[in-house]
Amino acid sequence: MTARSAGAFDAARLTAVVSPLRRALLAAAREREGLPDIPDAQIEVLRALPRGTVAAPGELATTLGLGRSTISNLLAAMERAGLVTRQPRTDDRRGVEVAASPDALGYFERFDAASAAIMTDAATRLSAGDLAALAGAVPALERLRDVLVTQQRGGSAAPRPDVDPEEAA
């Protein structure tokens, strides 16, 4: 079924589910692991800095679709909180490279593990049909996320396929 023929698709209902689901999972993982309450904007910066990577502030601004002053303010607050480190660039001493701190990376590892455990536990309370529906929905949700991210960054979303890639395989 394509997005064009999905008469039963209810965007408002999906939106009303996704945000509370995300908040509930975040709160449960924070509580389980005793994690700090890191603002969403800072989490996005950290997600853009996986282990072993560095980026210039301008690169982060472009990647996240944020203004340079916004990134500068976020990085200053995050450095004070011990979430990122800034060092002079090796190829240009006038610029800086930003990396997620070991503490921040540890928080993400704990959060991801706790989230997976919480989701696995909750899934045991669902029917086999619900689990199959969720498994089938994940690829579509990933594509929806990609379209929204592309749109947010000012790009044009890829054309809508007439056939679901999963069905075409």
Side-chain angles (χ1 to χ4, degrees):
M1 179 180 293
T2 68
R4 292 179 189 170
S5 65
F9 176 70
D10 186 340
R13 187 173 178 195
L14 178 61
T15 301
V17 169
V18 168
S19 188
L21 174 65
R22 183 187 143 294
R23 282 193 309 271
L25 182 59
L26 181 60
R30 280 180 176 152
E31 182 179 327
R32 180 179 280 197
E33 288 296 311
L35 296 169
D37 187 5
I38 300 171
D40 284 348
Q42 292 182 9
I43 289 172
E44 292 304 312
V45 170
L46 292 171
R47 287 272 183 215
L49 295 168
R51 184 176 299 282
T53 65
V54 296
E59 293 169 323
L60 288 171
T62 300
T63 298
L64 298 173
L66 298 172
R68 288 179 182 256
S69 63
T70 301
I71 285 292
S72 179
N73 291 335
L74 281 169
L75 293 176
M78 294 172 74
E79 189 172 32
R80 284 190 302 273
L83 298 173
V84 297
T85 60
R86 293 197 262 192
Q87 299 177 336
R89 291 180 64 129
T90 55
D91 61 338
D92 180 357
R93 306 294 275 170
R94 295 172 293 170
V96 296
E97 295 176 324
V98 180
S101 72
D103 283 347
L105 293 170
Y107 295 151
F108 272 113
E109 289 169 2
R110 290 171 46 209
F111 173 78
D112 288 344
S115 295
I118 290 164
M119 196 64 79
T120 299
D121 181 53
T124 65
R125 294 172 175 84
L126 298 178
S127 70
D130 282 347
L131 292 174
L134 287 170
V138 170
L141 290 170
E142 290 170 336
R143 289 188 299 276
L144 179 60
R145 176 209 54 214
D146 294 345
V147 166
L148 292 171
V149 168
T150 299
Q151 287 176 342
Q152 177 203 5
R153 295 184 182 151
S156 61
R160 295 189 320 205
D162 288 336
V163 177
D164 183 336
E166 297 297 317
E167 292 175 6

